[in-house]
């Protein structure tokens, strides 16, 4: 897989905290930042999907919308 180099700006305090992490020392900054970006995108996707569900079901169901459905099915053994 080709990795494209990018430039990312960090303030010194944040960079020092990042570099102090054992995980960063073991895996490297790039690996940790790639993982953080992937996790951000996954959270964003879940948020967008949840937002779509909220929008789709925001109106709720009214009595007219459900009218007649109770007669459409039958319970087993009934």
């Amino acid at each position: 897989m080709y990795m494209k180099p990018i430039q990312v700006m960090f303030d010194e305090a944040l960079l020092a905290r990042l570099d102090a992490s054992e995980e960063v020392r073991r895996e490297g900054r790039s690996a940790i930042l790639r993982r953080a970006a992937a996790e951000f995108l996954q959270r964003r996707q879940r948020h967008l999907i949840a937002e779509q569900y909220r929008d789709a079901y925001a109106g709720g169901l009214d009595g007219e919308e459900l009218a007649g459905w109770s007669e459409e099915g039958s319970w087993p053994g009934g």
Side-chain angles (χ1 to χ4, degrees):
M1 172 187 346
Y2 172 73
M3 300 273 187
K4 181 176 176 91
I6 63 168
Q7 182 176 2
V8 179
M9 305 297 287
F10 281 84
D11 65 63
E12 289 183 26
L14 181 58
L15 186 58
R17 288 176 51 208
L18 184 67
D19 288 344
S21 166
E22 176 63 34
E23 196 171 359
V24 171
R25 287 194 298 269
R26 186 176 59 249
E27 296 182 34
R29 282 183 196 157
S30 293
I32 299 303
L33 293 175
R34 280 191 302 271
R35 186 176 342 137
E39 289 170 3
F40 164 78
L41 292 171
Q42 288 172 346
R43 281 192 315 274
R44 184 171 177 265
Q45 182 66 23
R46 284 193 304 267
H47 174 76
L48 291 173
I49 290 170
E51 199 171 77
Q52 289 172 342
Y53 272 107
R54 273 193 309 276
D55 290 348
Y57 294 103
L61 298 174
D62 59 22
E64 252 182 69
E65 208 170 330
L66 298 175
W69 279 100
S70 60
E71 290 81 35
E72 292 296 319
S74 64
W75 289 96

